[in-house]
């Protein structure tokens, strides 16, 4: 398959269109995570549909002191990734094409969710992100758009915008792609020295520790629910070798689902250790949130949650997250 490079929305709209159009939005510097999105789009679009990849480094998403100028521009290499993954078109517009007349005076506002976590650390970031996503949805007019779950808050806000403002497009989230050592794929990983990369592994390590603690507590809860009496529950847990949990069998009897505080503590332990490494990890935030609004969950939370982390290693800022489900065993 040959991928066609286009520079304007007019060129894209002039193409004959039969089946579904699937769009993957990127800022370039493509890696296997992006390729996974493109392959998912190709599968959804089918042989009669069209896969469009946008490559545009959006200046509205970069705040003061952030890495707009040094953000990698690798269009030739990006085209090869798109072609191998099955894209029909790469739309790489200029800033003038996306923002005719300069920066837009009318923009999308991310609302309360946009001020939390990433929004608190990067003021205005989500307003800029939603504005360019809205623009690119209008310019490409897809039936379905694919986004990575690594940017969980971004994905949640895009879904909210599409619902609140009645965009006629389906939004699909694709699971995070990781390197063999667990580090989430990111265009910014290339900035890390070998030593910094070793420290950066604490992000995924913290998430995995939280996930393991969550799984252990969900399994414990499932066992506890199978034993009717509190005393019998304690004996059963002790027999299973869960001495620590057996000591707190009364809490288990109350069916506290998953204990979010324990999940946070398990993850934070890994991050605290990484803060003492050379080079150190500088934590921005660790949060366990409701994916509907990105507010912190309580220990009685039931349902979906996102364990999210952001930190700096040297001058490179990285984010990662894992989805969890609380009370699944009930």
């Amino acid at each position: 398959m040959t991928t066609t490079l286009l520079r304007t929305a007019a060129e894209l709209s002039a193409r004959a269109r039969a089946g579904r159009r699937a769009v993957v939005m990127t800022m370039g510097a493509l890696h296997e995570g992006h390729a996974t999105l493109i392959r998912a789009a190709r599968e959804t679009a089918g042989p009669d549909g069209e896969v469009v990849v946008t490559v545009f480094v959006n200046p509205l998403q970069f705040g003061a002191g952030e890495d707009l100028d040094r953000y990698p521009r690798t269009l030739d290499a990006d085209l090869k990734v798109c072609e191998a993954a099955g894209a029909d078109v790469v739309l790489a517009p200029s800033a003038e094409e996306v923002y005719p007349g300069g920066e837009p005076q009318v923009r999308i506002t991310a609302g309360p969710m946009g001020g939390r976590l990433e929004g608190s650390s990067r003021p205005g970031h989500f307003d800029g992100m939603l504005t360019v996503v809205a623009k690119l949805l209008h310019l490409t007019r897809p039936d379905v758009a694919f986004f990575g779950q690594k940017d969980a808050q971004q994905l949640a806000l895009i879904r909210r915008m599409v619902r609140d403002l009645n965009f006629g497009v389906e939004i699909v989230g694709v699971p995070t792609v990781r390197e063999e050592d667990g580090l989430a794929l990111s265009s910014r990983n290339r900035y890390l020295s070998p030593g910094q990369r070793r420290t950066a592994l604490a992000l995924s390590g913290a998430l995995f520790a939280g996930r393991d603690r969550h799984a252990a507590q969900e399994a414990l809860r499932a066992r506890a629910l199978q034993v009717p009496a509190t005393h019998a529950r304690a004996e059963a847990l002790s027999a299973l070798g869960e001495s620590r949990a057996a000591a707190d069998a009364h809490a288990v009897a109350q069916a506290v689902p998953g204990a979010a505080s324990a999940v946070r503590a398990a993850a934070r332990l890994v991050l605290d250790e990484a803060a003492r490494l050379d080079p150190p990890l500088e934590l921005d935030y660790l949060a366990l949130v409701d994916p509907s609004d990105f507010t912190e969950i309580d220990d009685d939370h039931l349902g979906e949650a996102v364990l999210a982390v952001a930190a700096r290693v040297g001058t490179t800022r990285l984010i990662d997250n894992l989805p969890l489900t609380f009370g699944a065993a009930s």
Side-chain angles (χ1 to χ4, degrees):
M1 172 180 288
T2 300
T3 300
T4 301
L5 174 63
L6 302 179
R7 295 291 188 173
T8 69
E11 292 175 304
L12 180 61
S13 64
R15 286 174 59 90
R17 181 172 176 178
R20 302 181 80 197
R21 176 177 287 171
V23 164
V24 176
M25 297 182 188
T26 82
M27 292 206 299
L30 304 188
H31 49 63
E32 180 58 26
H34 297 106
T36 299
L37 291 172
I38 298 167
R39 288 192 291 268
R42 178 79 272 162
E43 183 176 355
T44 295
D48 298 326
E50 183 180 53
V51 174
V52 178
V53 178
T54 65
V55 175
F56 179 66
V57 181
N58 178 32
L60 300 189
Q61 289 176 233
F62 291 81
E66 294 190 334
D67 53 0
L68 173 61
D69 291 337
R70 71 168 184 154
Y71 195 88
R73 274 80 165 175
T74 58
L75 184 57
D76 290 342
D78 294 344
L79 285 168
K80 294 177 181 178
V81 172
C82 291
E83 190 162 278
D88 298 291
V89 174
V90 167
L91 176 64
S94 65
E96 291 74 21
E97 173 74 8
V98 178
Y99 300 121
E103 289 193 10
Q105 295 186 35
V106 177
R107 307 188 187 196
I108 301 292
T109 300
M113 195 197 315
R116 299 175 185 134
L117 299 188
E118 284 296 290
S120 177
S121 298
R122 305 175 67 189
H125 167 73
F126 285 126
D127 290 357
M129 179 276 296
L130 289 178
T131 298
V132 80
V133 169
K135 296 271 288 185
L136 290 171
L137 287 175
H138 289 314
L139 292 172
T140 59
R141 302 195 180 281
D143 300 291
V144 56
F146 290 77
F147 297 89
Q149 291 179 358
K150 184 177 81 73
D151 297 298
Q153 193 172 1
Q154 170 181 286
L155 176 60
L157 281 163
I158 291 170
R159 283 177 165 151
R160 188 63 187 246
M161 176 184 73
V162 165
R163 182 172 70 249
D164 286 356
L165 300 183
N166 300 101
F167 281 72
V169 62
E170 178 187 357
I171 302 298
V172 176
V174 177
T176 300
V177 178
R178 300 184 179 278
E179 302 195 35
E180 290 185 3
D181 57 10
L183 188 68
L185 282 175
S186 170
S187 301
R188 290 186 169 92
N189 290 352
R190 68 185 67 193
Y191 301 147
L192 299 170
S193 69
Q196 290 171 339
R197 184 187 172 86
R198 286 191 292 272
T199 296
L201 290 175
L203 274 79
S204 55
L207 297 180
F208 297 157
R211 177 194 61 191
D212 292 346
R213 183 59 184 159
H214 167 265
Q217 293 198 204
E218 288 292 313
L220 174 60
R221 180 172 178 270
R223 294 170 188 163
L225 292 173
Q226 294 172 2
V227 184
T230 299
H231 179 69
R233 187 177 278 122
E235 290 182 343
L237 292 170
S238 182
L240 287 167
E242 301 279 3
S243 57
R244 179 178 177 184
D248 194 26
H250 178 68
V252 178
Q254 301 303 310
V256 174
S261 57
V263 173
R264 292 187 186 94
R268 183 168 288 278
L269 183 62
V270 175
L271 297 169
D272 288 345
E273 292 174 353
R276 296 188 287 271
L277 296 177
D278 182 20
L281 180 141
E282 300 176 21
L283 182 64
D284 189 344
Y285 62 76
L286 171 70
L288 185 54
V289 298
D290 186 327
S292 68
D293 59 8
F294 272 67
T295 57
E296 292 280 355
I297 65 169
D298 297 322
D299 276 342
D300 60 354
H301 179 80
L302 288 171
E304 301 300 314
V306 174
L307 181 61
V309 62
R312 288 187 181 276
V313 182
T315 60
T316 303
R317 187 176 185 276
L318 301 170
I319 63 172
D320 202 351
N321 70 84
L322 278 179
L324 301 173
T325 302
F326 287 81
S330 61

